[in-house]
Amino acid sequence: MIWNLRSWSSLALLASLYCHASIADTAGHPQGHIILSLTGAVQQSNRTDGGLHFDFEMLEQFPQHSFVTNTPYTKHPHEYRGPRLLTVLEHAGIANKQLTATALNKYSVTLSGSELKQAILAIRQDGKKMRIRNKGPIWLMFPLDTVPGLDKPDVHQQMIWQLRSISAQ
Amino acid sequence: MTPGYRWILNRKMLLLIAAIILFTLSAAFSLYSLQKTSKLVSRSLPLTIWAVGQLEREYADYWLNLSLYSAGTINRDDLIVSYEILWNRLDIVLSSDEAIELRELKDTEEVIHSLFSELKATEDIHYNLAAYQDPAARKLMQRFSHYQQQLHNIALVNFMDRDQLYGLDLVSEAFRTFGLYMAGLFFSGSILVFLLVREGRRSQHNALHDSLTTLPNRAHFVAHLNRVIALARRENRCAAVLLIDLNDFKAVNDTLGHNAGDQLLQGIADRLNTITRDSDLTARLGGDEFAIVQYPVNNREEVAGFASRLSATLGQEMMLSDGRCTPSASIGISLYPEHSQQAQQLLINADMAMYQAKQQKLGSSNFYDDELLSIQQRRKQLGHDLRSLLSTGPESQLRLAYQPVVDLASEQIVATEALLRWQHPELGAIPPQEAIEIAEHYGLADNLGKWILHSACRQLAEWHRHCGDTDFRISVNISPGMYRCGNLESEISSLLAEHNIPASKLMLEVTEDTTMQDLGYSSRILQKLGSLGIQVAMDDFGTGHSSLSHLSQLPVNVLKIDRSFILAWSLRQEDLSVLRAIIQLGKTLNLVIVAEGIETAEDKELLRKEGCELGQGFYFSRPVSAEQITALLEQQAGILES
């Protein structure tokens, strides 16, 4: 167990060092299909439109977190995995801004509250890439079952699925 | 508390507890139901609206994109996105809890299932479309064209069939349940109110009725009498108050038990109820005292007739569980407006008349008259005067007279009986019986008794000193009130010590009535007096209620034969047998016999022959003053010496 913890944390450390370096290297160059765009007051961009855009692989290069949880929108508990929302926002320098998340179907919601620290951008469900038909490719996910006080309507409302973009003001 | 009553109480308690439980449950369920209902209303409404709106919109997006793709405006990937979004939406609508209400709409689930199946069936077609403007899209458009209308119909049903759409069928269901609980609430509340009202009525009834006979009680009677008086005044008619008191009710309680006493009272109540008219009111005033108010009455004769019928009815033999008894009642009657116009005074007058009837003849009735008022006033005055007399100086009006008691063989005066005399400044000589009765009635018997004992002992001591005859005895009558005073024996022993009188020289005379009122207590106190050495005489023997077995148990030394036996024998020879039997009885019980009322030498001689040892009466001497007794004693001593 001790070994596991150590090995995971050192891996995570390595991964974070690597991804900082790699994004710095490859900023503005998502190789695949763009699934997330950060727009507005972003500190760095990788396109001429001023936004910071990510494909699946880029998001997977951030340190990955995972947990198992039920949601009001699913029948069974699933394991969700992806980078912390805050890590990605900090990377773009918009962690402290006012944020509006918008989905593929144009549903949008304001992101706010201390609960956001717990949120991940889930890109895998039970190890598999999430498809649009299963609320992918990105589902803003909270560990509702494991962290007390999260399982409430305010949080449920922010669990935007088919997340496509986040704009910062 | 009888078992029956306890049972009723338990049943009542059970009903009350049941009602309270029902009330509480109904209230709790009502609250729960109300909460559920409001939750359904607040939750299902927006969620259902949301779900329908999203579904219709995302279908419209897909349809639009399909058209745009066919027209070559967008590429396949954009179409796939809206395809996938619609897939996701259908999946949610069919599986999530939040869309339950939506699925329950009429035909909705079938439409959505059909759309979802079509979507799944065309997955390959979608993903195999060319990047732009594949003709296959036309086919897709044909396959999906009719859903637009169907989904629109669902939205339409939203408005037409609001109840179902908004989950309001559940809401109204919940409201029905709520109504049911409310009915329970109302029902149990009604039971509680009913119990409350009934309990209130019952306690009001209890306040106004006697629990044993269920007749109205004194308070009810007085209130009714006041109403009758008001009515009689307005209608200018007469009313009658009859006060009925059972004779010797105490004897029934004592001999047959309290249960029999209760039965007797209930039986009397039944008889009173049957004989009275509906317009009359019968009440139990307390104890063995009943009352009837009659209204209207036409004249005195009518009431007198009713009273004699009443006496006859009440006097019939009654079967009780523990025996039978023949009740009798004394009835006192007062009339409105003749005797008084006030309820309270009418009752007092009837009470006086009843008291008078009781003294005249058992089982009789008597009307109030003004003479009774003067009797009453006389009693009051005597009571008042006796009280002040005893507290200031009794000697101004009270004195003792003494009647010699003579040894029938030697004709020597051996003792004297002290008798109370009261010379009232206005009313003249008050008969001793009345004086004692007044003292008893006004609670003065204790003080009066002490004064008599004191005076008698002082006088006896003087005779002992003066005449040198220390065998001379004195007897004193004690009444029930003196008897019941707690410290009689200590009072007497200190008196004897004070005057240096041997206890055997003092005799206390008790009557049968006095001792039989409380046999246990009498027996105890007589034992104590006897242990001091004091003589106890049974006075007026043969006139009261005494039982021979009791007589043998009581520590009595002397039997005084009532004067009525001597008098009767003097007039009619045949009563000798009774007299002889009494004397024999006394001898058998080893008692000294004293004959009272000896008026002739023949009386004396016969009684002596029959074995009677002592006697008193006019033949020897009337009651005389202390000085005269002194003279008699001196004379007797002189004769003896000469």
Side-chain angles (χ1 to χ4, degrees):
Chain A
M1 195 59 168
I2 290 169
W3 182 88
N4 269 343
L5 268 175
R6 268 195 200 139
S7 63
W8 276 115
S9 50
S10 49
L11 268 178
L13 185 68
L14 278 174
S16 71
L17 284 172
Y18 171 73
C19 75
H20 271 89
S22 70
I23 286 174
D25 289 350
T26 59
H29 303 288
Q31 301 300 306
H33 187 66
I34 292 170
I35 58 171
L36 178 67
S37 302
L38 303 182
T39 61
V42 290
Q43 299 288 316
Q44 55 171 315
S45 75
N46 50 13
R47 279 242 176 127
T48 50
D49 59 5
L52 187 57
H53 303 269
F54 299 91
D55 61 8
F56 185 87
E57 284 70 26
M58 287 168 74
L59 286 177
E60 219 170 25
Q61 279 164 15
F62 284 103
Q64 300 292 295
H65 293 268
S66 73
F67 47 79
V68 176
T69 189
N70 281 290
T71 78
Y73 314 100
T74 48
K75 280 190 170 174
H76 308 288
H78 296 285
E79 189 231 21
Y80 297 94
R81 170 181 283 269
R84 283 200 190 282
L85 170 68
L86 231 50
T87 310
V88 178
L89 294 176
E90 277 164 2
H91 177 72
I94 54 170
N96 299 317
K97 306 286 183 194
Q98 206 181 340
L99 302 168
T100 305
T102 306
L104 283 172
N105 64 353
K106 305 294 184 275
Y107 169 81
S108 74
V109 67
T110 303
L111 300 181
S112 64
S114 58
E115 294 86 0
L116 285 177
K117 285 195 300 247
Q118 307 287 341
I120 62 169
L121 294 168
I123 48 176
R124 286 184 186 275
Q125 179 180 304
D126 299 325
K128 282 184 267 184
K129 286 168 79 170
M130 294 173 75
R131 300 182 65 175
I132 296 173
R133 65 177 69 173
N134 293 326
K135 305 179 182 60
I138 304 172
W139 190 0
L140 189 63
M141 182 57 64
F142 295 79
L144 300 180
D145 286 359
T146 45
V147 178
L150 282 184
D151 197 2
K152 59 185 183 185
D154 278 0
V155 174
H156 297 164
Q157 211 187 341
Q158 298 197 42
M159 288 172 62
I160 182 169
W161 61 63
Q162 298 166 344
L163 175 64
R164 175 62 187 84
S165 66
I166 297 173
S167 82
Q169 280 192 323
Chain B
M1 198 187 291
T2 64
Y5 184 67
R6 191 177 301 146
W7 184 77
I8 288 169
L9 189 75
N10 282 349
R11 201 182 55 174
K12 223 161 67 180
M13 282 300 287
L14 282 179
L15 185 62
L16 189 66
I17 288 167
I20 288 172
I21 289 174
L22 186 59
F23 187 84
T24 314
L25 287 180
S26 300
F29 279 118
S30 301
L31 194 66
Y32 170 73
S33 179
L34 184 66
Q35 271 182 339
K36 208 173 97 175
T37 309
S38 54
K39 221 179 248 176
L40 277 171
V41 171
S42 64
R43 244 189 59 191
S44 65
L45 225 70
L47 285 175
T48 316
I49 290 171
W50 175 253
V52 172
Q54 289 295 305
L55 177 59
E56 212 184 357
R57 219 197 75 185
E58 287 172 6
Y59 178 79
D61 275 355
Y62 165 73
W63 183 254
L64 179 66
N65 283 351
L66 195 56
S67 314
L68 291 176
Y69 172 78
S70 294
T73 315
I74 61 170
N75 67 16
R76 188 200 64 177
D77 289 347
D78 292 338
L79 173 63
I80 290 295
V81 167
S82 59
Y83 169 85
E84 287 277 326
I85 288 173
L86 181 58
W87 180 304
N88 181 56
R89 175 62 54 190
L90 289 169
D91 190 31
I92 287 171
V93 166
L94 286 173
S95 66
S96 89
D97 289 345
E98 290 194 343
I100 285 174
E101 289 85 3
L102 177 61
R103 291 200 297 275
E104 282 171 355
L105 279 180
K106 192 164 166 263
D107 300 333
T108 302
E109 191 158 17
E110 288 73 31
V111 171
I112 295 170
H113 263 301
S114 155
L115 175 57
F116 201 15
S117 316
E118 200 70 7
L119 213 60
K120 286 173 174 172
T122 56
E123 189 178 3
D124 288 345
I125 301 177
H126 280 90
Y127 276 89
N128 292 330
L129 287 173
Y132 285 98
Q133 228 177 347
D134 195 316
R138 291 269 166 216
K139 280 180 186 165
L140 284 174
M141 286 182 78
Q142 279 166 16
R143 291 179 76 158
F144 285 95
S145 61
H146 58 287
Y147 288 108
Q148 180 103 40
Q149 188 58 48
Q150 286 182 357
L151 288 176
H152 189 67
N153 282 347
I154 290 172
L156 206 62
V157 170
N158 279 348
F159 291 97
M160 304 309 287
D161 196 357
R162 270 167 187 274
D163 279 3
Q164 267 199 25
L165 174 75
Y166 298 135
L168 288 185
D169 52 339
L170 288 179
V171 172
S172 62
E173 168 88 29
F175 265 119
R176 269 196 297 279
T177 323
F178 181 63
L180 207 65
Y181 291 136
M182 283 304 282
L185 207 62
F186 181 75
F187 178 65
S188 52
S190 304
I191 291 178
L192 285 175
V193 169
F194 168 73
L195 286 175
L196 203 67
V197 168
R198 201 181 60 168
E199 211 46 41
R201 282 223 182 116
R202 185 167 295 166
S203 60
Q204 194 190 8
H205 183 271
N206 286 347
L208 293 176
H209 289 78
D210 164 50
S211 59
L212 178 66
T213 60
T214 71
L215 287 178
N217 61 13
R218 182 181 284 272
H220 190 174
F221 182 80
V222 172
H224 181 78
L225 184 54
N226 278 317
R227 283 195 296 273
V228 163
I229 287 172
L231 190 65
R233 185 172 295 141
R234 207 163 48 237
E235 297 184 345
N236 203 19
R237 303 182 77 165
C238 298
V241 173
L242 293 92
L243 210 64
I244 301 138
D245 192 85
L246 297 184
N247 300 315
D248 298 324
F249 174 68
K250 195 176 167 337
V252 176
N253 261 345
D254 288 349
T255 54
L256 297 177
H258 287 277
N259 201 21
D262 287 353
Q263 279 182 31
L264 175 63
L265 291 175
Q266 284 165 339
I268 294 293
D270 288 344
R271 287 179 183 184
L272 291 175
N273 274 333
T274 38
I275 196 170
T276 48
R277 304 173 299 185
D278 286 348
S279 58
D280 303 338
L281 182 89
T282 308
R284 182 182 174 212
L285 300 188
D288 57 349
E289 198 175 48
F290 296 85
I292 297 171
V293 57
Q294 283 201 304
Y295 181 83
V297 293
N298 295 315
N299 51 50
R300 188 186 177 100
E301 288 67 38
E302 184 186 309
V303 182
F306 173 74
S308 66
R309 282 205 309 285
L310 192 57
S311 281
T313 307
L314 294 180
Q316 285 163 14
E317 190 182 56
M318 187 182 290
M319 295 300 297
L320 306 174
S321 61
D322 298 323
R324 61 181 69 190
C325 79
T326 309
S328 79
S330 300
I331 302 170
I333 306 161
S334 65
L335 300 173
Y336 171 91
E338 192 182 326
H339 297 139
S340 175
Q341 303 199 11
Q342 307 295 324
Q344 211 56 44
Q345 193 57 45
L346 280 170
L347 267 172
I348 291 169
N349 292 350
D351 192 50
M352 275 191 264
M354 187 274 292
Y355 185 78
Q356 183 78 358
K358 213 179 243 314
Q359 296 198 324
Q360 283 165 0
K361 175 172 160 276
L362 294 181
S364 71
S365 60
N366 191 38
F367 277 91
Y368 171 81
D369 61 39
D370 290 341
E371 196 187 321
L372 281 176
L373 182 61
S374 63
I375 291 173
Q376 182 71 8
Q377 281 167 344
R378 178 187 161 94
R379 278 167 62 84
K380 267 189 189 167
Q381 190 185 348
L382 286 178
H384 174 263
D385 292 351
L386 184 60
R387 189 181 297 279
S388 57
L389 205 55
L390 286 170
S391 62
T392 54
E395 286 78 8
S396 63
Q397 293 176 33
L398 299 182
R399 64 180 183 86
L400 292 180
Y402 303 91
Q403 186 171 38
V405 179
V406 176
D407 185 312
L408 293 186
S410 66
E411 298 208 11
Q412 293 290 307
I413 301 172
V414 294
T416 183
E417 180 181 358
L419 298 161
L420 180 66
R421 291 293 179 263
W422 181 5
Q423 189 65 33
H424 192 278
E426 293 162 30
L427 301 171
I430 309 299
Q433 277 305 316
E434 189 180 9
I436 297 295
E437 201 269 325
I438 295 287
E440 288 284 334
H441 186 81
Y442 289 96
L444 303 166
D446 189 16
N447 282 342
L448 182 60
K450 279 178 191 164
W451 180 81
I452 293 172
L453 276 168
H454 230 273
S455 307
C457 287
R458 199 178 53 230
Q459 187 58 57
L460 182 67
E462 200 181 314
W463 282 325
H464 281 182
R465 266 199 314 277
H466 189 81
C467 305
D469 176 11
T470 48
D471 278 340
F472 192 65
R473 302 194 301 271
I474 197 163
S475 68
V476 176
N477 294 282
I478 57 173
S479 69
M482 298 145 78
Y483 206 69
R484 275 192 289 271
C485 122
N487 54 354
L488 185 61
E489 75 271 13
S490 64
E491 186 80 27
I492 287 175
S493 58
S494 66
L495 254 180
L496 294 175
E498 188 188 329
H499 295 291
N500 195 24
I501 299 170
S504 62
K505 304 309 168 202
L506 176 65
M507 184 158 79
L508 296 179
E509 298 191 10
V510 298
T511 61
E512 293 165 302
D513 287 347
T514 315
T515 45
M516 294 307 157
Q517 272 180 9
D518 189 346
L519 193 68
Y521 183 76
S522 299
S523 192
R524 274 199 305 282
I525 194 144
L526 292 182
Q527 291 285 4
K528 284 180 184 169
L529 292 170
S531 66
L532 289 175
I534 291 164
Q535 302 288 298
V536 179
M538 183 63 82
D539 200 9
D540 303 337
F541 184 74
T543 57
H545 300 267
S546 59
S547 119
L548 292 179
S549 71
H550 291 160
L551 185 63
S552 65
Q553 288 164 20
L554 287 170
V556 172
N557 318 94
V558 177
L559 206 61
K560 294 187 83 170
I561 304 171
D562 191 68
R563 70 182 74 247
S564 60
F565 291 102
I566 318 292
L567 189 64
W569 168 75
S570 292
L571 298 173
R572 297 168 299 169
Q573 292 289 328
E574 64 267 24
D575 273 303
L576 181 58
S577 54
V578 178
L579 197 55
R580 188 175 282 161
I582 292 173
I583 292 168
Q584 278 308 311
L585 173 69
K587 291 220 164 295
T588 312
L589 294 172
N590 208 17
L591 302 174
V592 175
I593 313 292
V594 181
E596 291 182 302
I598 297 177
E599 298 195 350
T600 64
E602 293 84 59
D603 292 350
K604 184 214 77 177
E605 200 46 34
L606 178 105
L607 287 161
R608 190 185 59 79
K609 280 185 196 153
E610 290 297 333
C612 190
E613 295 151 286
L614 302 172
Q616 62 188 86
F618 291 174
Y619 172 69
F620 302 111
S621 171
R622 292 171 173 276
V624 293
S625 68
E627 292 75 26
Q628 285 168 295
I629 292 287
T630 311
L632 283 172
L633 287 176
E634 279 171 352
Q635 190 188 342
Q636 186 170 288
I639 292 167
L640 282 175
E641 276 169 21
S642 60

